[in-house]
Amino acid sequence: MPELVVTALLAPSRVTLKLLRAFMWSLVFCAALLTAAVYGCIALTHVLCRPRRGCCGRPRRTPPACLSDPTLGEHCFLTLKSSGLRLHYVSAGRGNGPLMLFLHGFPENWFSWRYQLWEFQSRFHVVAVDLRGYGSSDAPRDVDCYTIDLLMADIQDVILGLGYSKCILVAHDWGAVLAWNFSIYYPSLVERMVVVSAAPMSVYQDYSTHHISQFFRSNYVFLFQLPWLPEKLLSMSDFQILKTTLTHRKRGIPHLTPNELEAFLYDFSQPGGLTGPLNYYRNLFRNLPLEPQELATPTLLLWGEKDAYLEQGLVGAISSRFVPGRLEAHILPGVGHWIPQSNPEEMHQYMWAFLQDLLG
């Protein structure tokens, strides 16, 4: 068929897609302005209630001692083959078994996996990375440096750069969003996957369009589409919004100590420390709308019944995309979003059982 005819036949579809994306971005922009107004009021309230803290975050000069706890592992750097960036990671148990690679979420870093590093280093080579833009890893400032494709290439480079041909991928929140995608496009590199509190982007897209309440639960996503303003709001009153997120009585991490809280705030308080992590969100809508994708990697999915950010119905939506027999899903009663830190014992029991056949 002549190329001109093909172009003419596809033109209506291309126009429709462009109109759909334009409409989507107009909705995203409106939602961003609305959430910015709400979070602006919250941040201003924090400043008025705690005037001595001022309008800016206090840069931490020295990291808390818990970040250098030798029992968690050795601090190392790896130069990535694809980008040349250096990623920081903590490693323990090399030579004890297969690679178990941990990917953290926001607003966290490698330290969010401290309980799992202790638990699994006797039978696995455990590695917890600071993702691109976080902690001691390199943090390009350009938004285009945080596309899903580049972030997946980082994971590939870490696995191969550590000398492995596959891994057990354990991920939470944003790290789990990357892990879902990685298991689809690099299936040979993932032997098993443990996903905590996150859905594949295509599942989230389809579920949210039919359950508007999910958009309200994750309203911060729209705020983070804006330039510079989210960094300012999150840092006001010495990062009080982040402090509340992590320590809230119902929605935060139970029993988080002040020292552990500082382990997360230390990195974000450094100059430009929030921009890299927020750039993940600024690329979130770039490829929408997404086509449904079949999921086939053997996966353990853990979900909190009381997750304040993600509805329980997403678990069923994820299950419907899986090849039968490849997904083991558990909803933990009375548990929130931060399972690796709030309920490590339960998580470990499920993980040991899921991985038992790999241990011989």
Side-chain angles (χ1 to χ4, degrees), residues 234-253:
L234 292 183
S235 64
M236 288 176 70
S237 192
D238 196 32
F239 304 96
Q240 185 57 45
I241 289 178
L242 290 182
K243 289 178 180 178
T244 301
T245 299
L246 294 169
T247 63
H248 190 273
R249 185 172 60 86
K250 292 184 177 180
R251 301 190 301 271
I253 304 169

Side-chain angles (χ1 to χ4, degrees), residues 103-122:
L103 308 178
H104 64 79
F106 176 83
E108 299 171 291
N109 55 28
W110 72 267
F111 185 72
S112 64
W113 298 111
R114 57 195 178 281
Y115 296 110
Q116 290 70 44
L117 291 173
W118 280 319
E119 178 72 15
F120 293 101
Q121 62 181 266
S122 62

Side-chain angles (χ1 to χ4, degrees), residues 4 22 29 96 100 123 155 164 241 280 290 294 315 346 360:
L4 186 61
F29 183 69
N96 292 345
M100 182 179 285
R123 301 298 299 275
I155 301 171
Y164 293 88
I241 289 178
Y280 283 62
L290 298 168
E294 185 178 65
V315 176
E346 291 177 73

Side-chain angles (χ1 to χ4, degrees), residues 120-152:
F120 293 101
Q121 62 181 266
S122 62
R123 301 298 299 275
F124 297 91
H125 178 200
V126 292
V127 172
V129 299
D130 273 335
L131 294 170
R132 175 190 296 223
Y134 283 84
S136 300
S137 293
D138 285 348
R141 295 193 63 85
D142 193 339
V143 175
D144 290 336
C145 292
Y146 295 86
T147 63
I148 293 294
D149 289 343
L150 291 176
L151 297 170
M152 286 195 297

Side-chain angles (χ1 to χ4, degrees), residues 217-244:
R217 286 195 181 217
S218 48
N219 56 73
Y220 54 87
V221 170
F222 299 105
L223 169 67
F224 295 165
Q225 301 309 306
L226 300 174
W228 69 262
L229 182 61
E231 285 92 330
K232 180 62 177 176
L233 295 179
L234 292 183
S235 64
M236 288 176 70
S237 192
D238 196 32
F239 304 96
Q240 185 57 45
I241 289 178
L242 290 182
K243 289 178 180 178
T244 301

Side-chain angles (χ1 to χ4, degrees), residues 285-342:
F285 295 99
R286 173 173 290 201
N287 297 318
L288 298 184
L290 298 168
E291 291 295 321
Q293 296 164 309
E294 185 178 65
L295 304 170
T297 300
T299 300
L300 170 66
L301 175 63
L302 301 178
W303 206 272
E305 178 195 21
K306 300 293 185 181
D307 194 314
Y309 307 103
L310 298 167
E311 292 187 356
Q312 193 172 314
L314 280 163
V315 176
I318 295 169
S319 301
S320 68
R321 298 282 180 86
F322 255 92
V323 170
R326 298 293 180 88
L327 175 68
E328 178 186 329
H330 299 277
I331 298 175
L332 280 57
V335 176
H337 183 71
W338 314 94
I339 294 172
Q341 298 183 73
S342 66

Side-chain angles (χ1 to χ4, degrees), residues 16 30 34 47 53 67 82-83 98 101 112 134 180 184 192 228 239 248 261 263 270 298 302 317 319 338 352:
T16 301
C30 290
L34 181 60
V47 171
R53 292 185 182 178
L67 286 178
S82 301
S83 64
L101 181 62
S112 64
Y134 283 84
W180 284 120
I184 293 169
R192 298 283 177 88
W228 69 262
F239 304 96
H248 190 273
L261 174 62
Q270 304 310 307
L302 301 178
S319 301
W338 314 94
W352 282 121

Side-chain angles (χ1 to χ4, degrees), residues 2-326:
E3 184 177 345
L4 186 61
V5 175
V6 173
T7 303
L9 291 173
L10 291 177
S13 297
R14 289 172 176 166
V15 171
T16 301
L17 184 59
K18 287 183 179 180
L19 290 174
L20 180 61
R21 284 182 172 168
F23 178 67
M24 180 199 72
W25 277 110
S26 65
L27 292 178
V28 168
F29 183 69
C30 290
L33 293 179
L34 181 60
T35 53
V38 172
Y39 279 90
C41 292
I42 294 171
L44 183 59
T45 301
H46 288 317
V47 171
L48 294 176
C49 291
R50 304 170 181 84
R52 290 186 178 181
R53 292 185 182 178
C55 292
C56 300
R58 172 178 58 85
R60 275 64 173 166
R61 295 184 178 179
T62 56
C66 59
L67 286 178
S68 55
D69 183 348
T71 66
L72 289 171
E74 180 184 4
H75 291 258
C76 309
F77 287 87
L78 178 68
T79 300
L80 303 179
K81 181 179 179 181
S82 301
S83 64
L85 297 177
R86 285 205 325 160
L87 289 196
H88 167 255
Y89 66 94
V90 174
S91 167
R94 188 174 187 97
N96 292 345
L99 173 64
M100 182 179 285
L101 181 62
F102 295 94
L103 308 178
H104 64 79
F106 176 83
E108 299 171 291
N109 55 28
W110 72 267
F111 185 72
S112 64
W113 298 111
R114 57 195 178 281
Y115 296 110
Q116 290 70 44
L117 291 173
W118 280 319
E119 178 72 15
F120 293 101
Q121 62 181 266
S122 62
R123 301 298 299 275
F124 297 91
H125 178 200
V126 292
V127 172
V129 299
D130 273 335
L131 294 170
R132 175 190 296 223
Y134 283 84
S136 300
S137 293
D138 285 348
R141 295 193 63 85
D142 193 339
V143 175
D144 290 336
C145 292
Y146 295 86
T147 63
I148 293 294
D149 289 343
L150 291 176
L151 297 170
M152 286 195 297
D154 288 354
I155 301 171
Q156 178 190 31
D157 287 347
V158 169
I159 296 169
L160 300 179
L162 291 172
Y164 293 88
S165 60
K166 58 185 176 180
C167 75
I168 297 151
L169 199 54
V170 186
H172 171 248
D173 190 77
W174 242 111
V177 173
L178 300 179
W180 284 120
N181 262 50
F182 190 78
S183 70
I184 293 169
Y185 293 103
Y186 298 88
S188 64
L189 295 179
V190 185
E191 187 169 13
R192 298 283 177 88
M193 194 159 67
V194 179
V195 171
V196 187
S197 308
M201 288 191 293
S202 62
V203 173
Y204 182 89
Q205 166 197 275
D206 294 346
Y207 181 88
S208 298
T209 54
H210 294 92
H211 301 82
I212 301 301
S213 55
Q214 177 56 57
F215 280 127
F216 288 98
R217 286 195 181 217
S218 48
N219 56 73
Y220 54 87
V221 170
F222 299 105
L223 169 67
F224 295 165
Q225 301 309 306
L226 300 174
W228 69 262
L229 182 61
E231 285 92 330
K232 180 62 177 176
L233 295 179
L234 292 183
S235 64
M236 288 176 70
S237 192
D238 196 32
F239 304 96
Q240 185 57 45
I241 289 178
L242 290 182
K243 289 178 180 178
T244 301
T245 299
L246 294 169
T247 63
H248 190 273
R249 185 172 60 86
K250 292 184 177 180
R251 301 190 301 271
I253 304 169
H255 314 300
L256 190 71
T257 68
N259 203 33
E260 290 169 340
L261 174 62
E262 285 299 313
F264 300 122
L265 296 181
Y266 171 77
D267 291 324
F268 297 130
S269 75
Q270 304 310 307
L274 281 167
T275 299
L278 293 180
N279 281 343
Y280 283 62
Y281 291 93
R282 289 168 179 145
N283 279 288
L284 197 56
F285 295 99
R286 173 173 290 201
N287 297 318
L288 298 184
L290 298 168
E291 291 295 321
Q293 296 164 309
E294 185 178 65
L295 304 170
T297 300
T299 300
L300 170 66
L301 175 63
L302 301 178
W303 206 272
E305 178 195 21
K306 300 293 185 181
D307 194 314
Y309 307 103
L310 298 167
E311 292 187 356
Q312 193 172 314
L314 280 163
V315 176
I318 295 169
S319 301
S320 68
R321 298 282 180 86
F322 255 92
V323 170
R326 298 293 180 88

